Amino acid sequence: MIALYDYQDTAIDSLRQAYQSGKKAPLLVMPTGAGKTVCFTYMAEQAQAKDKRVLLVAHRKELVNQISAALNAWGVSHGIITAGAKPTRHSVQVGMVQTLANRIKLDKAGRFKFDLVIIDEAHHATQNSTWGAVLQHNSRAKLLGVTATPCRLDGKGLGVEAQGFFDAMVLGPSAANLVERGRLARPVVYAPAQGLDLSAVKRRGGDYVASQLVAAVDRSAITGDAVAHYQRYCDKQAAIAFTITVAHASHVVEQFKAAGYQAAVLTGSTPDKERAQMLKDLGNGKLQILASCNVVSEGTDIPTVAAAILLRPTESYALAQQQIGRALRAAPGKDKAIILDHAGNVLRHGLPTDEVEWSLEGMQRKKHKGGSLVKTCNGCSALVSIRTTQCLECNFVFHAPIATERSFIEAEGDLVEMTPERLLEIRLRKRQELISAKTKQQLVALGQERNYKHPAFWADRIIEGRASYRAQQGSHV
């Protein structure tokens, strides 16, 4: 039986409360790697136990397969609705949105009507889309959307008033919180000193025009720089390079191969069996670089991926964060995720752990009054938050921290100013507390002090992670 983390329990309870309060279509927002699939397949299992018909919808075959595997883990019998799949009469079905949209046109018997519809990667679901046709066909069903980035390309929200489908939002833990818990790897971002000149690249539909973008980015100097950064910061570790076109991906792979690395191109037309083997090889170390063109930006779960190489500039916050998220999944012995940002996306959108205020109307970022969200550490060249006073990667101290807007916390009934120095002090204190807790008893006590719902379970995960790290370090001696 799968064990839910405390924050997953809390999210599921909040979803139930939303339905009980009369909401019909809540949206669950949790960072990449937080276990969204575990949460919504658990909800499907609970609905099946109540004799409800449940439809889980995704837009890529990899996601359908992942959802199916998660349902199997919960012991949920189900059918698959994809091109070529044999129809079944199971009360729970997992389907590709494109296949569903085609079949509902002929659905006179109501075979594709359900009591609960669950949408994975729900930021794609808008009324004027293929998703809209499926959801309108099930207009009487309850709806559950899940996503890490609840906004569209243009930054607009997914609520009913924004021509979306959702009427409530349930927020899970932040990425920063999950990093602190050890549930996500700590992102460390590096970017070339010389940024890309995209002044001549036009925008269309909220993002750069691909044909013009590739001319500005698909150059040997930029790809060579990417190879050099990879060699310097994460040599021979599993990495995904996000590119603009198939030709661009091929050029990237050629240069990595010329440098002696095992690299391959993954596209939407790659045969299923070959695609599965590539992902398997990337996970087991036989493949070091996988250059992707619009394939693994969402949902792909390969925890051993140590780095994301960003070679596709985008105006889409959602796309940028989804790509970065492929490297953030936690794994034994993995203490950080390397983000090599040759596209300027972190400079454009901020760090993956920066605070975002989500709503059904869209997103709001807490930008620094100077405009920039990040700055470069003089000690190790990593990109850090503009508010950082000491780099957590190399401990470089910024002697002249930039003044920031005031924020406050409540302590013993009084409000105190939360300055950058105080934030750093708290982070360092928490890190030292964790280092000082050597035994399980000490870890459980620390978890209780921090009000974790399952401190013993958390302590076991910390101990397992430490043991794995020591074993890995020993293997390199």
Side-chain angles (χ1 to χ4, degrees):
M1 179 60 67
I2 300 173
L4 294 171
Y5 290 102
D6 59 339
Y7 63 85
Q8 293 171 331
D9 267 331
T10 300
I12 290 169
D13 286 343
S14 298
L15 288 171
R16 287 173 176 151
Q17 291 171 17
Y19 286 124
Q20 290 169 2
S21 70
K23 300 298 183 182
K24 186 180 178 181
L27 178 68
L28 174 61
V29 180
M30 296 176 73
T32 297
K36 294 185 293 297
T37 304
V38 170
C39 289
F40 71 71
T41 51
Y42 173 78
M43 296 285 284
E45 187 270 340
Q46 294 289 291
Q48 185 190 54
K50 297 177 181 177
D51 294 325
K52 301 295 184 181
R53 283 174 51 79
V54 184
L55 174 64
L56 302 98
V57 189
H59 68 296
R60 290 209 325 273
K61 192 168 183 178
E62 292 91 348
L63 297 178
V64 170
N65 292 339
Q66 287 179 22
I67 294 169
S68 177
L71 288 171
N72 287 333
W74 286 115
V76 177
S77 58
H78 59 280
I80 303 293
I81 304 173
T82 58
K86 185 178 179 179
T88 69
R89 295 187 178 276
H90 289 97
S91 62
V92 176
Q93 298 282 336
V94 186
M96 285 272 285
V97 64
Q98 299 90 339
T99 305
L100 283 161
N102 289 329
R103 294 186 182 179
I104 61 175
K105 296 175 183 178
L106 304 175
D107 186 27
K108 296 181 180 179
R111 291 182 56 240
F112 299 105
K113 287 186 179 293
F114 295 83
D115 301 303
L116 172 64
V117 178
I118 299 174
I119 304 294
D120 192 15
E121 305 296 349
H123 49 277
H124 293 293
T126 58
Q127 293 184 9
N128 297 321
S129 67
T130 305
W131 300 85
V134 175
L135 296 180
Q136 288 161 12
H137 188 70
N138 285 274
S139 59
R140 295 184 180 181
K142 289 183 178 179
L143 177 63
L144 169 60
V146 290
T147 181
T149 51
C151 64
R152 289 176 275 172
L153 180 62
D154 56 9
K156 293 182 179 179
L158 303 176
V160 174
E161 294 183 358
Q163 296 188 345
F165 288 94
F166 304 101
D167 58 9
M169 180 177 284
V170 172
L171 294 173
S174 67
N177 179 271
L178 291 176
V179 169
E180 181 183 324
R181 288 168 174 258
R183 295 298 305 144
L184 291 181
R186 178 173 60 88
V188 181
V189 182
Y190 297 97
Q194 185 66 36
L196 290 173
D197 180 9
L198 302 179
S199 58
V201 179
K202 294 182 178 180
R203 295 167 177 79
R204 183 183 302 138
D207 208 354
Y208 297 109
V209 175
S211 59
Q212 296 186 13
L213 188 61
V214 75
V217 178
D218 188 7
R219 294 186 282 117
S220 59
I222 295 174
T223 306
D225 202 16
V227 174
H229 274 68
Y230 173 81
Q231 289 174 325
R232 178 178 178 182
Y233 294 111
C234 47
D235 190 34
K236 298 181 180 179
Q237 297 185 58
I240 300 177
F242 296 95
T243 62
I244 306 166
T245 63
V246 174
H248 184 202
S250 298
H251 298 158
V252 169
V253 163
E254 288 171 5
Q255 290 208 35
F256 270 101
K257 283 184 173 180
Y261 295 106
Q262 297 298 315
V265 176
L266 177 61
T267 72
S269 61
T270 302
D272 291 345
K273 187 175 181 180
E274 185 178 343
R275 177 182 307 189
Q277 188 62 49
M278 285 182 182
L279 296 177
K280 181 179 179 180
D281 289 346
L282 187 66
N284 62 27
K286 292 182 180 180
L287 192 64
Q288 293 155 343
I289 307 293
L290 187 63
S292 164
C293 177
N294 298 326
V295 178
V296 293
S297 295
E298 298 169 328
T300 304
D301 185 3
I302 311 175
T304 52
V305 169
I309 304 173
L310 309 184
L311 291 166
R312 176 186 174 173
T314 178
E315 291 281 274
S316 169
Y317 173 87
L319 178 58
Q321 298 307 317
Q322 292 283 352
Q323 292 180 351
I324 290 172
R326 296 315 106 205
L328 297 185
R329 295 182 184 275
K334 178 179 173 181
D335 64 336
K336 60 185 176 182
I338 302 299
I339 313 300
L340 304 179
D341 183 21
H342 298 269
N345 288 335
V346 174
L347 291 171
R348 194 173 291 113
H349 300 293
L351 296 167
T353 50
D354 281 351
E355 182 180 356
V356 179
E357 293 185 356
W358 294 114
S359 75
L360 291 175
E361 287 71 43
M363 62 177 288
Q364 291 184 350
R365 305 298 309 281
K366 287 191 172 182
K367 290 191 176 183
H368 181 262
K369 61 185 179 181
S372 179
L373 294 167
V374 297
K375 59 185 176 183
T376 302
C377 173
N378 294 335
C380 65
S381 299
L383 293 183
V384 298
S385 170
I386 194 69
R387 298 177 175 85
T388 296
T389 58
Q390 184 173 4
C391 177
L392 296 178
E393 181 66 11
C394 71
N395 295 321
F396 175 84
V397 176
F398 295 86
H399 294 290
I402 300 175
T404 65
E405 62 205 45
R406 294 162 64 121
S407 59
F408 299 87
I409 62 169
E410 186 172 352
E412 298 180 356
D414 297 323
L415 290 176
V416 297
E417 183 174 359
M418 180 57 75
T419 63
E421 292 79 5
R422 186 173 180 84
L423 282 170
L424 178 62
E425 177 186 347
I426 291 172
R427 289 196 203 99
L428 294 177
R429 173 174 55 77
K430 286 188 173 183
R431 176 187 281 188
Q432 188 56 50
E433 287 174 347
L434 186 59
I435 293 173
S436 299
K438 304 294 185 183
T439 67
K440 179 174 179 177
Q441 184 179 5
Q442 292 170 335
L443 284 166
V444 170
L446 179 58
Q448 291 171 338
E449 182 181 329
R450 294 181 176 182
N451 293 320
Y452 291 165
K453 188 172 182 179
H454 302 293
F457 183 77
W458 172 77
D460 287 338
R461 300 289 78 76
I462 296 296
I463 291 170
E464 289 175 6
R466 287 174 175 176
S468 177
Y469 179 77
R470 287 194 295 269
Q472 186 183 55
Q473 292 299 106
S475 68
H476 294 303
V477 175

